[in-house]
Structure formats: C-alpha cells, structure tokens
Amino acid sequence: MIPMEELLAERACERLVLDFVRRLDLGEPSTVAELFTEDGVWQWPEGDRLVEGRAALRAYFASRPADRLSRRVMTNILVTVASPTQASATSYFTTYRVDGHTGGMVPAGPPVQIGLPHSRLRSSGGTPIEDTFRKVGDTWLLASRTLFLPFGGPTPVVEPRQSPPAA
C-alpha cells in the first residue's frame, strides 16, 4: 500500500471506533449494527457474551434500556493496517453509565467500565481490547469487537427525582 492509502485506512478505522461509541451514547444504539460486516461479531469473554451477525447485533443494541444515559471516552486508538482490506486496532476506553435517567444532570460517579491497552494488561494476565476491520467495497467496517475489562461493574440506577412540594 502507498502511504496515503494506509493513512486513509487508518483514519477510516479510527472513525468507526469513534462513531460506534457516539451512536451508543447519543441515542442511536440500534444503528451501531450498520458499522459491522454482515458476519460481524461483538464479544465480551468475561461472562461469555457473544453476538454474531448484523441482524443479531441490531437486535442486541436496540434492546438497550430507553432510560440509559451513557458517555464513553475512547483514546489512544492505534490502528494497524495489515493489507488493503484488513486492519486491527487497540484502544483505551472508559464508560460512564446509569439507568433510570429521566432528564437533567446526574451526580458524578466513578466509571463502570475501563479497558486498557495490551501492554498494560499483559502484566496483569489480561488480553487486549481488539477491533478488527474489513474493507467491503469502498467502505471499512468492523468485523469484530472484543472487549476485555480489567475494571467493570454493574450499571448504577438513578434514584427517581422527588417533585417539589406544592406551594
């Protein structure tokens, strides 16, 4: 590959990672499946969560609770282009998330998930956060996303707001 093609592939894959979390966080979770190949895979080995195929991914992401508020921070995205149609990436991510959100500001709390890159996890016996990409026609898509969480926990539920007393 010429350097410009490699640079464009890296940027397209990085954009997929960022678009993935944007769609989850900003109210378009059912559209996340469009970012995957038809045979795409989403998996979390902890808890044996595995979703295979675009139709199953669409159903999985569409089942997200309507009252969930989340914000994910993705950084240090390192894309490695293997060929004109294959690439992979590792990245850091942090997820802030609550269920039961009915609007307004939520008191700050700790993140519920943190993923770290391979070199950091190796010392604790972990494995990398991995994305693989495949170019289909002129479009780069996620072929698989595998999450390994050294830090994770349940989603907190926001307490219902109390209405102010009537005057």
Side-chain angles (χ1 to χ4, degrees):
M1 291 179 70
I2 63 171
M4 183 55 77
E5 289 173 338
E6 188 170 349
L7 182 64
L8 291 172
E10 288 175 6
R11 180 62 186 122
C13 294
E14 180 181 351
R15 175 67 188 236
L16 273 171
V17 170
L18 298 173
D19 198 16
F20 181 97
V21 296
R22 184 188 140 285
R23 289 179 186 212
L24 283 178
D25 289 347
L26 299 179
E28 302 173 34
S30 63
T31 68
V32 168
E34 297 167 12
L35 303 175
F36 282 85
T37 58
E38 285 293 334
D39 61 348
V41 174
W42 162 263
Q43 62 183 336
W44 295 19
E46 183 71 31
D48 297 324
R49 190 179 314 181
L50 173 66
V51 184
E52 297 180 88
R54 192 179 282 165
L57 288 160
R58 188 174 292 110
Y60 174 80
F61 289 114
S63 70
R64 174 187 159 117
D67 64 355
R68 178 164 286 169
L69 172 66
S70 64
R71 294 297 181 264
R72 290 166 180 82
V73 180
M74 297 295 305
T75 68
N76 298 27
I77 302 166
L78 179 60
V79 176
T80 302
V81 179
S83 75
T85 60
Q86 302 285 323
S88 62
T90 59
S91 56
Y92 288 68
F93 74 95
T94 305
T95 302
Y96 296 88
R97 180 175 66 212
V98 296
D99 285 344
H101 184 256
T102 58
M105 188 179 297
V106 174
V112 296
Q113 297 172 337
I114 301 173
L116 301 171
H118 181 63
S119 60
R120 180 84 163 134
L121 288 171
R122 189 178 308 144
S123 63
S124 64
T127 52
I129 301 157
E130 298 175 333
D131 288 317
T132 62
F133 308 91
R134 188 178 327 134
K135 192 171 184 183
V136 178
D138 292 332
T139 305
W140 283 93
L141 297 169
L142 279 159
S144 69
R145 172 159 260 217
T146 305
L147 300 180
F148 299 93
L149 302 175
F151 300 101
T155 301
V157 176
V158 176
E159 295 297 321
R161 288 195 204 179
Q162 300 293 325
S163 298

